Amino acid sequence: MNHRTLATLIAASFCLTACNKSPETVTDSAASAETTVKTHAELSVRQGGAWEGQKYVADGFTFEPVTSFTSPDQLTDHSYYLRYEGPGWENDLVGYRLYLDWRNGIDVFVKTTSEMVLPLVGQDGYDSYHELSDWGGDALKVGKSVGLGALGRWVDNGVEHFRQVDKTHWNLLKDGGDTSEFEVRYEGWDVAGVKADVTTHYQISAGDPSTLVTVTSSTPMDNLVTGLVKHDNVNYIEKRSEHWTMIATYGKQNVLGDEWDLGLALFVKNSQIAEQFEGPHDYLFKFVPQTSYEYGFFATWQGHPEQPQTQQEFEAFMEQKLQRLDASTGH
């Protein structure tokens, strides 16, 4: 896809907002600005069918949004039960999704618009979001990695995902306004005979592409990791501040079209890093064994006019983010 085609899509996305407004709506836009939805989090479950083994079979794709959910035992990758395979969250700049199955990877939805788009994603053919549309699309190839900032456990020179979990629960905590939040609770996550109950809390705020993650565990683990997917032929970037370390990649790693650079960044508290290294599929941080952790991540894409347009701008945003993190970190 060339730049002219994407520019047309971007223009169309803004028309979704401006061209569909009545004169009264445009006139009263300032008065209604304070009610504008700036962030969103959701999970939608398919309706009207039944399980056949590990596949949910139904006529058509009708989904119901929920505020809480417990994964059925048969849920796995490509079960066609959850809209875009798990929860999604977004703000005016970017969106993300979490595979709510054994993969537990985090993917990126790039956006061309500041409007909330996730309620429409996956409604027109289930996985149509893999193609670039007027709102954006699914940009990241996660593969065998943890994607952008998901958790795993390092065992035998590889990352073990969430293959053995007694129960997985999702709960919506806050939706809309300046901040949206949700949590995922994993009961009995068993790796190499060591079980732990782990809760991950995700928060996104308007005006910042970052997702902040708080993790609590029932027991300290000496092999808990988070990471950033490794792709060939992209630039690796690393920056440190007093309290945080940030790693990033920037370049031609956008599955929607390599003409457009995708930036990915992951930041972790220095005091919580036991080791930093590369795995087969990820750049990884191993956490110090304890029961609570804080970290975060963000993605940027040139197709959104308010996102960094060059690697220089991306790195400048990284440095600004580190400054803000340091300022908010207790001494």
Side-chain angles (χ1 to χ4, degrees), residues 146-324:
V146 298
L148 178 56
L151 292 176
R153 284 157 79 178
W154 183 255
V155 179
D156 297 331
N157 296 316
V159 175
E160 184 66 29
H161 295 245
F162 284 66
R163 291 186 180 275
Q164 297 185 53
V165 178
D166 292 339
K167 286 292 181 182
T168 300
H169 309 279
W170 176 88
N171 287 287
L172 181 64
L173 302 177
K174 185 178 181 182
D175 178 34
D178 290 331
T179 302
S180 289
E181 306 174 37
F182 67 93
E183 69 176 17
V184 184
R185 293 185 292 115
Y186 305 93
E187 294 181 11
W189 180 22
D190 189 346
V191 176
V194 178
K195 272 194 172 187
D197 299 333
V198 176
T199 299
T200 53
H201 176 276
Y202 297 86
Q203 175 182 307
I204 193 168
S205 297
D208 185 335
S210 306
T211 292
L212 301 179
V213 187
T214 304
V215 181
T216 55
S217 174
S218 61
T219 184
M221 292 175 281
D222 62 5
N223 59 356
L224 186 67
V225 298
T226 187
L228 171 62
V229 59
K230 282 196 314 186
H231 288 139
D232 295 333
N233 303 316
V234 296
N235 297 325
Y236 175 82
I237 308 163
E238 188 171 312
K239 296 181 183 292
R240 285 183 172 83
S241 66
E242 182 181 358
H243 297 287
W244 296 82
T245 294
M246 183 180 293
I247 61 173
T249 56
Y250 190 90
K252 310 302 182 185
Q253 54 184 338
N254 179 2
V255 296
L256 295 173
D258 276 346
E259 297 89 350
W260 298 91
D261 291 330
L262 179 67
L264 307 172
L266 173 67
F267 49 91
V268 178
K269 273 188 172 181
N270 293 336
S271 61
Q272 298 180 345
I273 300 171
E275 187 180 352
Q276 183 180 342
F277 61 103
E278 290 187 32
H281 310 290
D282 311 84
Y283 300 104
L284 295 165
F285 290 106
K286 183 186 290 185
F287 289 106
V288 171
Q290 52 191 59
T291 57
S292 63
Y293 312 90
E294 294 178 65
Y295 68 96
F297 55 83
F298 61 84
T300 73
W301 181 57
Q302 297 162 309
H304 194 296
E306 296 177 26
Q307 289 266 45
Q309 299 295 301
T310 65
Q311 182 172 331
Q312 182 179 12
E313 291 181 5
F314 177 73
E315 292 196 44
F317 180 79
M318 290 175 64
E319 292 167 359
Q320 293 167 7
K321 184 67 183 179
L322 284 172
Q323 291 174 4
R324 292 195 296 269

Side-chain angles (χ1 to χ4, degrees), residues 1-10 260:
M1 180 168 294
N2 58 38
H3 289 233
R4 181 174 298 177
T5 302
L6 183 56
T8 301
L9 288 172
I10 293 172
W260 298 91

